[in-house]
Amino acid sequence: MKLRPLHDRVIVKRLEQETKTASGIVIPDNAAEKPDQGEVLAVGPGKRNEKSGDFVALNIKVGDRVLFGKYSGQTVKVDGDELLVMKEDDLFAVVEK
């Protein structure tokens, strides 16, 4: 990948959403909502502490599965893939396996 996030930003790829409900009903593409889970592809170095000037490392690492808001982040296309660039603050949680 050719993107390197700056400061406290992360690059996230949305995970594919199920196209079938638990009862077996197939959801057409135009009716499906965008998934709110993704995989972290890249992480910035962190943001500077205003008082000391030191970098504060992010709590997210590459490969983490994360939850985020429906309209979070900025969508970008890289090599045909649709990715999200967002701040660490836009992430709600890490999904533990």
Side-chain angles (χ1 to χ4, degrees), residues 6-20:
L6 302 175
H7 307 292
D8 62 336
R9 289 183 173 77
V10 296
I11 308 292
V12 177
K13 182 173 185 176
R14 287 186 194 268
L15 295 175
E16 294 300 319
Q17 189 168 336
E18 294 292 323
T19 57
K20 211 183 259 193

Side-chain angles (χ1 to χ4, degrees), residues 5 36 39 41 53 58:
D36 54 0
E39 180 183 352
L41 300 181
L58 302 182

Side-chain angles (χ1 to χ4, degrees), residues 39-60:
E39 180 183 352
V40 176
L41 300 181
V43 178
K47 62 181 174 181
R48 288 200 182 271
N49 184 325
E50 291 179 19
K51 293 183 181 182
S52 67
D54 296 331
F55 271 107
V56 178
L58 302 182
N59 294 318
I60 303 296

Side-chain angles (χ1 to χ4, degrees), residues 22-92:
S23 60
I25 298 172
V26 176
I27 302 169
D29 288 339
N30 59 353
E33 293 184 11
K34 289 185 176 182
D36 54 0
Q37 285 191 36
E39 180 183 352
V40 176
L41 300 181
V43 178
K47 62 181 174 181
R48 288 200 182 271
N49 184 325
E50 291 179 19
K51 293 183 181 182
S52 67
D54 296 331
F55 271 107
V56 178
L58 302 182
N59 294 318
I60 303 296
K61 61 185 182 302
V62 174
D64 280 350
R65 188 175 193 167
V66 293
L67 297 176
F68 49 87
K70 210 178 278 193
Y71 304 108
S72 297
Q74 178 67 40
T75 304
V76 295
K77 281 201 173 197
V78 178
D79 298 331
D81 289 333
E82 192 173 287
L83 306 174
L84 290 167
V85 179
M86 62 180 72
K87 289 190 169 203
E88 184 187 31
D89 293 343
D90 292 338
L91 302 174
F92 297 149

